[in-house]
């Protein structure tokens, strides 16, 4: 077993990388970041990195036990509900503390025209016939939209989707951050009349919302999934303090 408390960071987000960077020089802790492995060329955090799935709750619990993990920090994407639930279940089984680092959700402001939906399938049903929509929902959730042959889509994502894409959907590969001017130019060039996105929160991808507001475009906003409760932090500073309270 390691001579220092091991913190497992379930990562893949900018917040997870920033947390690993802040903890990498802290001699009190051993840090391991875990990446799901869905992205072929991810941005790697500082310190030790584990790539690939655990094999569900049972596999994660075995890893936590074998590695002598003292604390799990769930810093996954706000929509990575399955991983978050696996972490909650594994920590509960072993009696380990779990902390969640999650960026605040976006909130509609003056001039916004948001229509809230529960998931991607409901969003796909809500798109009017003949619409030209910009999709920023990720490659794993575009399938319901591709069934809508009466609408046209520009789907932006980091890597190509794993499923065939019909002619009425253009795949646009790009990695954030984005600018408001760039987002407005994209929406104008592609004659976009609706934005479909997930309420991921964060500044890196928020420019599309300001662009939609400026162009007076409606936004179909997919709500975050519910997760098991856990001690949470919205910033790196808050999480560092929470870690010290938990392991100090």
């Amino acid at each position: 077993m390691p001579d220092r408390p091991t913190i497992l960071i379930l990562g893949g987000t900018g917040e997870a990388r920033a947390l690993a960077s802040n903890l990498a020089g802290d001699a009190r802790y051993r840090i391991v970041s875990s990446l799901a492995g869905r992205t072929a060329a991810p941005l790697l955090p500082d310190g030790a990195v584990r790539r690939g799935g655990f094999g569900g709750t049972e596999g994660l619990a075995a890893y936590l036990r074998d590695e002598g993990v003292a604390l799990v920090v769930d810093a996954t994407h706000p929509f990575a509900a399955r991983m978050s639930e696996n972490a909650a279940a594994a920590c509960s089984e072993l009696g380990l503390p779990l902390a969640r680092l999650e960026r605040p959700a976006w909130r509609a402001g003056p001039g916004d025209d948001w229509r809230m939906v529960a998931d991607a399938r409901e969003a796909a049903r809500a798109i009017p016939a003949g619409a030209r929509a910009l999709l920023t929902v990720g490659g794993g959730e575009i399938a319901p939209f591709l069934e809508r042959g009466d609408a046209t889509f520009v789907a932006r994502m980091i890597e190509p989707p794993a499923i065939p894409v019909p002619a009425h959907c253009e795949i646009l590969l790009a990695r954030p951050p984005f600018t408001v001017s760039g987002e407005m130019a994209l929406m104008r060039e592609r004659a976009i009349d609706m934005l479909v996105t997930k309420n991921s929160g964060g500044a890196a991808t928020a420019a599309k919302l300001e662009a939609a507001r400026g162009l007076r475009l409606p936004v179909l906003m997919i709500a975050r999934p519910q997760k098991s409760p856990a001690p949470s932090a919205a910033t790196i500073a808050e999480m560092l303090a929470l870690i010290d309270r938990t392991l100090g």
Side-chain angles (χ1 to χ4, degrees):
M1 292 293 178
D3 58 359
R4 297 173 293 165
T6 295
I7 300 174
L8 176 65
I9 302 174
L10 301 176
T13 61
E15 290 82 5
R17 290 191 297 274
L19 179 62
S21 178
N22 274 269
L23 290 171
D26 193 327
R28 295 174 298 167
Y29 308 124
R30 170 178 175 257
I31 308 303
V32 179
S33 296
S34 174
L35 306 181
R38 294 191 181 93
T39 303
L43 299 175
L44 296 178
D46 293 335
V49 177
R50 180 195 181 280
R51 295 185 65 175
F54 291 97
T57 300
E58 183 177 337
L60 176 56
Y63 177 87
L64 298 177
R65 188 185 304 111
D66 293 345
E67 292 294 316
V69 172
L71 169 67
V72 177
V73 177
D74 177 6
T76 58
H77 192 276
F79 281 77
R82 179 176 297 179
M83 187 68 250
S84 293
E85 291 311 294
N86 287 347
C91 287
S92 177
E93 176 184 330
L94 299 178
L96 287 178
L98 170 68
R100 182 169 295 133
L101 175 59
E102 189 167 79
R103 68 191 77 142
W106 292 315
R107 297 186 182 278
D112 286 324
D113 179 9
W114 290 11
R115 295 94 185 265
M116 302 301 299
V117 291
D119 52 33
R121 191 156 295 279
E122 183 178 338
R125 290 195 301 265
I127 294 173
R132 291 183 57 85
L134 174 62
L135 305 180
T136 61
V137 300
E141 297 188 72
I142 66 168
F145 301 96
L146 303 186
E147 299 170 2
R148 288 291 308 273
D150 59 346
T152 303
F153 302 105
V154 176
R156 184 172 65 199
M157 57 196 69
I158 294 175
E159 294 186 342
I163 60 175
V165 177
H168 67 276
C169 181
E170 173 191 358
I171 301 299
L172 182 61
L173 300 181
R175 186 186 290 272
F178 304 107
T179 65
V180 176
S181 60
E183 296 289 62
M184 293 185 78
L186 171 65
M187 293 175 185
R188 288 189 177 112
E189 289 168 3
R190 298 302 201 282
I192 298 300
D193 53 29
M194 173 172 283
L195 170 65
V196 184
T197 193
K198 299 187 293 190
N199 198 335
S200 302
T205 57
K208 60 193 171 188
L209 300 175
E210 189 171 340
R213 182 188 310 126
L215 296 174
R216 299 181 181 275
L217 299 183
V219 177
L220 284 178
M221 182 66 72
I222 301 173
R224 291 183 176 187
Q226 295 295 313
K227 297 182 180 181
S228 298
S232 299
T235 67
I236 301 300
E238 290 174 1
M239 177 52 69
L240 292 173
L242 178 54
I243 290 171
D244 287 346
R245 290 197 303 271
T246 303
L247 298 180

